[in-house]
């Protein structure tokens, strides 16, 4: 068991599904696409991308008439209560259902449990199915509905354009995948998981985290089997919820202050919450604290699960299975 006071380091590349038009594929109805991964730079290579386009897999071709949901949401389409129609009113419901199923099969073959979706699409949209300014349409879209039912960790592609929002999604996604896969077989292991994740949970929802802390303190060993699934489900649900700039800035300062005090070291250019700066600068500071924490084997509670390419890690001589960063 690794030291609880260190971050968890994942070394397997994470497969992520993505709406193909968000990866630059010219597959929209008008033969256009957007490269929404451009801002990730080299970090893009830390993941295995699995692009899919339900409308293309429906066999609708490019260019094509735009489609829309008629008489209900994407959920209703799957229940046979609503239809998908093109601009001329032609029914394409059955084709869309087949296209969505084919895309889901591809995501499963790729082992993707995360999906970056194009919001505002009647197919891939999750919270909007139209791009018209204040109108949400009939969410979710047909494929968005399937992604929700399958429990995907869903990231809106537009949030990849902000370094701070992406930082927030990435750390929650890594914690989500780690916890999803982790076998928890005893109360002690459950307490250890909580120790690792509680700081992030406190940042996301302090009242919920305090209540969970009180519940855990009152539990008996015999409560483990009944409580573990509830604990896991609630933490996973919380990890889907975005944080805010103010919360992330406060959290950075709180953890950095603790790091300075406990390790007697400082990190240049990490600022207090009162210091006014833009979101790009805040994201840089968070990344710096994250890197420092990994190099110094310190648990930065705001980002407790980290991905590092195996090639950037080398075995620490004589230290069992622990890993050390290459300098
Ligand atoms: S169906 Fe999805 S991937 Fe295909 S063009 Fe529309 S939003 Fe993009």
């Amino acid at each position: 068991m690794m030291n609880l006071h260190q971050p968890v380091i994942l070394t397997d590349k994470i497969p992520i599904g993505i709406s193909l038009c968000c990866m630059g594929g010219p597959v929209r109805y008008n033969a256009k696409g957007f490269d929404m991964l451009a801002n990730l730079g080299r970090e893009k290579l830390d993941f295995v991308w699995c692009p899919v386009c339900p409308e293309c897999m429906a066999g609708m071709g490019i260019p094509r008439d735009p489609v829309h949901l008629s008489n209900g949401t994407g959920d209703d389409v799957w229940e046979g209560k609503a239809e998908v129609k093109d601009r001329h009113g032609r029914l394409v419901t059955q084709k869309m259902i087949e296209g969505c199923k084919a895309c889901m099969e591809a995501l499963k073959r790729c082992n993707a449990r995360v999906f970056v979706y194009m919001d505002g699409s009647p197919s891939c949209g999750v919270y909007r199915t139209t791009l018209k300014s204040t109108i949400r349409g009939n969410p979710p879209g047909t494929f968005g509905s399937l992604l929700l039912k399958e429990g995907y960790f869903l990231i809106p592609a537009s949030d990849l354009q902000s370094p701070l929002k992406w930082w927030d999604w990435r750390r929650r996604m890594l914690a989500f995948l780690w916890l999803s896969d982790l076998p928890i077989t005893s109360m002690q292991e459950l307490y250890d998981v909580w120790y690792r994740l509680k700081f992030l949970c406190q940042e996301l929802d302090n009242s919920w985290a305090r209540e969970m802390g009180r519940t855990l303190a009152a539990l008996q060993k015999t409560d483990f089997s009944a409580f573990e699934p509830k604990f896991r489900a609630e933490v996973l649900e919380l990890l889907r919820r975005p944080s805010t700039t103010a919360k992330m800035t406060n959290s950075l300062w709180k953890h950095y202050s603790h790091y300075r005090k406990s390790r007697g070291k400082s990190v240049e250019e990490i600022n207090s919450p009162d210091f006014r700066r833009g979101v790009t600068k805040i994201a840089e500071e968070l990344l710096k604290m994250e890197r420092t924490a990994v190099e110094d084997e310190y648990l930065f509670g705001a980002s407790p699960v980290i991905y590092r390419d195996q090639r950037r890690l080398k075995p620490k001589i004589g230290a069992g299975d622990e890993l050390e960063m290459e300098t």
Side-chain angles (χ1 to χ4, degrees):
M1 181 82 177
M2 280 180 72
N3 187 333
L4 276 183
H5 303 283
Q6 295 176 4
V8 176
I9 299 184
L10 306 180
T11 53
D12 287 340
K13 277 189 199 287
I14 314 271
I16 302 183
I18 181 168
S19 297
L20 175 53
C21 61
C22 297
M23 213 177 158
V27 292
R28 293 188 71 219
Y29 72 94
N30 55 5
K32 291 191 174 157
F34 319 93
D35 184 3
M36 297 179 99
L37 297 184
N39 283 348
L40 267 55
R42 289 185 54 206
E43 195 191 355
K44 198 161 74 170
L45 302 174
D46 285 353
F47 307 96
V48 175
W49 299 93
C50 179
V52 293
C53 173
E55 289 179 21
C56 288
M57 290 310 285
M60 289 198 272
I62 307 161
R64 58 184 171 272
D65 270 0
V67 298
H68 63 271
L69 294 162
S70 173
N71 292 325
T73 66
D75 291 337
D76 297 327
V77 169
W78 291 100
E79 287 173 24
K81 296 186 210 152
E83 301 288 358
V84 186
K85 290 183 181 171
D86 72 11
R87 186 187 269 156
H88 293 96
R90 288 182 292 236
L91 282 180
V92 290
T93 314
Q94 200 48 44
K95 283 181 177 183
M96 268 312 297
I97 286 178
E98 295 307 323
C100 291
K101 285 183 183 165
C103 290
M104 184 52 71
E105 281 166 22
L107 292 183
K108 297 224 162 138
R109 278 194 293 273
C110 188
N111 291 323
R113 289 173 289 160
V114 177
F115 193 84
V116 173
Y117 64 92
M118 176 68 183
D119 219 8
S121 152
S123 305
C124 291
V126 175
Y127 300 108
R128 295 168 71 89
T129 54
T130 167
L131 288 170
K132 286 186 192 142
S133 56
T134 52
I135 302 167
R136 292 174 67 233
N138 300 311
T142 315
F143 191 52
S145 165
L146 195 53
L147 290 164
L148 285 166
K149 277 194 208 100
E150 294 280 343
Y152 272 73
F153 186 89
L154 296 170
I155 304 177
S158 52
D159 280 3
L160 270 55
Q161 310 313 297
S162 153
L164 186 57
K165 284 185 179 169
W166 167 238
W167 183 84
D168 179 34
W169 278 109
R170 182 173 47 76
R171 64 168 176 161
R172 288 182 290 106
M173 171 187 76
L174 293 173
F176 180 95
L177 294 173
W178 173 68
L179 178 58
S180 300
D181 291 343
L182 190 74
I184 306 176
T185 58
S186 68
M187 196 59 102
Q188 187 54 52
E189 286 179 11
L190 193 140
Y191 288 142
D192 291 350
V193 170
W194 181 239
Y195 181 82
R196 282 241 166 80
L197 298 182
K198 72 178 173 188
F199 303 105
L200 174 53
C201 292
Q202 281 165 1
E203 181 196 312
L204 296 172
D205 187 339
N206 196 29
S207 338
W208 177 89
R210 284 186 183 283
E211 186 56 38
M212 177 56 79
R214 278 192 288 272
T215 306
L216 285 170
L219 283 181
Q220 306 294 318
K221 274 188 182 167
T222 47
D223 299 326
F224 171 74
S225 306
F227 187 71
E228 189 270 339
K230 175 180 153 65
F231 169 83
R232 192 189 291 266
E234 287 191 19
V235 176
L236 289 175
E237 207 42 49
L238 182 62
L239 290 171
R240 293 176 186 273
R241 289 182 8 209
S243 187
T244 63
T245 303
K247 284 180 178 180
M248 286 186 266
T249 317
N250 283 330
S251 185
L252 169 65
W253 188 245
K254 187 175 92 180
H255 290 290
Y256 173 55
S257 303
H258 179 267
Y259 172 79
R260 240 181 1 185
K261 206 167 150 197
S262 64
R263 299 290 167 100
K265 297 178 190 172
S266 50
V267 183
E268 267 178 44
E269 289 176 36
I270 290 188
N271 295 293
S272 79
D274 317 327
F275 182 77
R276 284 173 66 92
R277 71 270 204 207
V279 290
T280 304
K281 177 82 180 72
I282 296 168
E284 282 168 15
E285 292 175 28
L286 286 160
L287 281 169
K288 199 169 224 182
M289 186 65 228
E290 210 171 70
R291 269 197 300 273
T292 304
V294 174
E295 285 162 15
D296 219 4
E297 298 179 339
Y298 170 82
L299 178 66
F300 174 29
S303 187
V305 184
I306 302 282
Y307 167 80
R308 282 291 179 275
D309 189 310
Q310 184 71 54
R311 287 168 301 182
R312 287 173 62 199
L313 297 162
K314 66 180 181 189
K316 190 191 266 185
I317 295 162
D321 60 358
E322 292 192 349
L323 296 165
E324 180 183 52
M325 291 295 296
E326 267 179 1
T327 52

